[in-house]
Amino acid sequence: MKQSSRINVNLMKDYNKQLVLRTIQKHGPISRVEVANRIDLSRPSVSEIVSILIEEQWIEEKSSEVKVRGRQPIPLDINKEKKVIIGLEIGAYSTKVIVSNLKAEILNEIAIEMDVHKNPNEMIEYLGNQINLITERYKANQIEVLGIGVGMHGLVDTEKGENIFAPNLGWKNVQIKSILEKITQLKVLIDNDCNSAALAEMWFGQGKDESNFISVIVDYGVGASIINNGSIFKGSHHVTGQVGHITIDPDGPLCSCGNYGCLETLTSETAILKKVKRKLKIGEKSSILNQKDNIEDLTIDDFYIAVNKGDEFCINITHEVARNLGLGFTILINLFGPRFIVLGGSLTKISDALIPIIKEVIQLKVMGEEAKHTPIITSGLGDDLYTIGAASLIVEDIFSLPRPNK
Ligand SMILES: [Zn+2]
């Protein structure tokens, strides 16, 4: 009896400490009084916890900006100098490594070329050694490296810390977590890049003040992640969020997954570029042809430029893509009723042309008057979405509240 109440006191203390830290992370700069009001904890308790957090270098006191007479509340914020995180985005062609502070400010960034012919284990070992070279510099300056977050495409087993299948690299069951942990001696967390991107939105992006929303990424593939009550809805079998493989047209193109007419085959960058080339080759006219001498040399960036210049041919293709995305979004809204959907990935470069049409489809097809007006917004994290997402896996681990069964 005595022992269990002791455990409860400790758990409560941990919980409150975590609650204070999380509140300062999300809402800093913030005074002790404001923290106490937000989380309904007594001011002396908040002050006591704040002293510990300052000593442990999680947070720091900032100087008050407003200068008036009398005693000023001292704003508290995350200590940006003393603790950093590594974010690793394993891509098909190159892997990006960032060092970020706890406010998702990128302090250092390098790109490492991927050798697809190399054994995946060797490749991960190589990445681990490169990370060691980076972290040594921080450690030498008494800066604590809190861990490595890894985001990658395909199916990922987060518990085992291995990838199940990454089609663009051909990797299967690579023990990424254990290899990296052995080499770097740091905590490693791995997840699918859609999930990690959704965490980036939740901690640092459009979802900062929301606990129920969906993040959809469209670039070389299409994927979604559902944030439900402030955490990722994981489901079973590691397939949750594979919205890119919902069948939109059973007579459509063959997909990398083996099915026909998946959303991805109609809306991914690869699909768009294929369609552009095919149509141009049968004589359709477009100003995009001014950008390259040969149709085969056209890139997806040429397409984005042409759309934003108002090229009719490219805008028509964008609208077709948007209509198909609208069908996918309709399914997501009808199933999960998110507060909003945030669109990330390269296609956000043409979101001004995409989003009005996606909204039209949603208005026509979604059930319920309120849900028909579900906001569709664009991610503000741009090209850093995946790397900040990877780092956010560690942020989530640090700042999430302790759960009894964890
Ligand atoms: Zn598919």
Side-chain angles (χ1 to χ4, degrees):
M1 185 72 187
K2 223 174 179 180
Q3 200 189 3
S4 83
S5 66
R6 186 77 240 148
I7 288 167
N8 285 340
V9 170
N10 284 339
L11 184 68
M12 193 63 86
K13 274 190 176 167
D14 279 345
Y15 185 87
N16 287 341
K17 187 178 166 192
Q18 205 65 348
L19 200 56
V20 170
L21 180 58
R22 185 186 166 95
T23 307
I24 295 168
Q25 204 285 338
K26 283 229 169 195
H27 305 287
I30 183 172
S31 71
R32 287 167 176 80
V33 176
E34 285 171 285
V35 173
N37 290 343
R38 267 189 182 269
I39 60 177
D40 210 11
L41 203 64
S42 74
R43 290 182 193 182
S45 302
V46 169
S47 290
E48 191 191 332
I49 294 171
V50 161
S51 306
I52 297 168
L53 290 173
I54 290 174
E55 201 184 303
E56 291 176 357
Q57 298 185 320
W58 286 106
I59 60 171
E60 61 183 349
E61 291 182 327
K62 313 291 275 187
S63 52
S64 191
E65 276 178 17
V66 194
K67 298 267 183 267
V68 284
R69 283 159 68 97
R71 210 173 145 206
Q72 292 296 304
I74 304 161
L76 303 163
D77 208 347
I78 286 296
N79 188 332
K80 296 200 287 191
E81 314 290 329
K82 290 292 174 187
K83 294 178 198 287
V84 295
I85 308 164
I86 306 292
L88 185 65
E89 176 206 345
I90 301 181
Y93 307 105
S94 89
T95 285
K96 270 198 214 163
V97 185
I98 60 157
V99 181
S100 151
N101 64 22
L102 292 172
K103 284 283 199 181
E105 293 166 352
I106 297 175
L107 310 172
N108 195 354
E109 179 170 354
I110 59 163
I112 298 167
E113 212 173 298
M114 295 297 280
D115 185 350
V116 282
H117 304 294
K118 220 176 194 167
N119 169 319
N121 290 358
E122 277 175 40
M123 198 63 223
I124 297 295
E125 280 168 19
Y126 177 72
L127 293 175
N129 288 325
Q130 294 297 308
I131 289 171
N132 280 344
L133 293 177
I134 299 170
T135 54
E136 270 164 20
R137 294 206 299 273
Y138 287 88
K139 286 177 184 166
N141 289 312
Q142 275 76 51
I143 295 168
E144 188 184 358
V145 183
L146 294 166
I148 304 170
V150 183
M152 73 179 302
H153 72 280
L155 303 184
V156 173
D157 187 330
T158 49
E159 308 235 314
K160 286 188 188 160
E162 62 179 39
N163 91 310
I164 297 168
F165 181 49
N168 297 326
L169 279 164
W171 288 8
K172 276 183 185 171
N173 304 103
V174 184
Q175 316 272 314
I176 296 170
K177 180 185 165 80
S178 64
I179 299 172
L180 279 181
E181 281 185 344
K182 196 173 158 201
I183 291 180
T184 63
Q185 298 295 306
L186 290 167
K187 178 173 197 161
V188 176
L189 294 172
I190 164 172
D191 210 331
N192 161 278
D193 52 10
C194 275
N195 283 344
S196 53
L199 287 181
E201 296 293 352
M202 193 174 82
W203 283 100
F204 306 107
Q206 301 280 26
K208 228 177 151 184
D209 297 312
E210 223 7 276
S211 51
N212 291 297
F213 68 93
I214 295 179
S215 151
V216 176
I217 311 262
V218 190
D219 40 40
Y220 60 84
V222 181
S225 179
I226 298 114
I227 298 289
N228 178 40
N229 285 335
S231 54
I232 295 172
F233 175 69
K234 287 275 181 176
S236 303
H237 318 303
H238 318 290
V239 296
T240 310
Q242 295 289 332
V243 69
H245 299 284
I246 285 175
T247 306
I248 298 289
D249 175 10
D251 296 320
L254 178 65
C255 183
S256 62
C257 73
N259 293 315
Y260 290 89
C262 293
L263 181 61
E264 196 165 293
T265 66
L266 304 169
T267 60
S268 72
E269 287 188 324
T270 323
I272 293 171
L273 200 55
K274 258 190 201 165
K275 181 165 255 181
V276 167
K277 290 179 181 175
R278 198 167 61 230
K279 285 185 173 238
L280 290 173
K281 279 185 178 169
I282 55 168
E284 295 212 27
K285 297 280 174 270
S286 162
S287 68
I288 196 175
L289 288 165
N290 301 336
Q291 298 186 49
K292 293 278 157 64
D293 292 333
N294 191 330
I295 290 173
E296 279 310 323
D297 294 339
L298 287 168
T299 66
I300 193 71
D301 284 322
D302 295 326
F303 175 77
Y304 294 145
I305 291 167
V307 171
N308 288 327
K309 278 185 180 166
D311 177 76
E312 202 184 331
F313 166 83
C314 291
I315 285 188
N316 285 340
I317 290 181
T318 303
H319 287 178
E320 259 178 70
V321 168
R323 276 189 283 276
N324 286 318
L325 284 176
L327 295 177
F329 282 31
T330 296
I331 294 171
L332 290 172
I333 294 170
N334 279 346
L335 281 178
F336 298 103
R339 274 273 300 114
F340 57 80
I341 295 181
V342 51
L343 176 69
S346 315
L347 253 71
T348 53
K349 289 175 186 165
I350 51 168
S351 54
D352 287 350
L354 280 172
I355 288 182
I357 308 295
I358 295 176
K359 282 184 174 170
E360 268 180 37
V361 178
I362 290 170
Q363 287 247 358
L364 285 169
K365 297 190 81 76
V366 163
M367 291 278 289
E369 210 40 53
E370 275 178 56
K372 282 181 188 292
H373 299 285
T374 304
I376 309 300
I377 51 181
T378 306
S379 171
L381 295 169
D383 291 340
D384 298 324
L385 179 61
Y386 287 129
T387 44
I388 290 181
S392 299
L393 291 168
I394 299 292
V395 170
E396 167 81 357
D397 186 60
I398 293 167
F399 296 109
S400 65
L401 297 169
R403 293 181 186 126
N405 57 353
K406 219 178 162 183

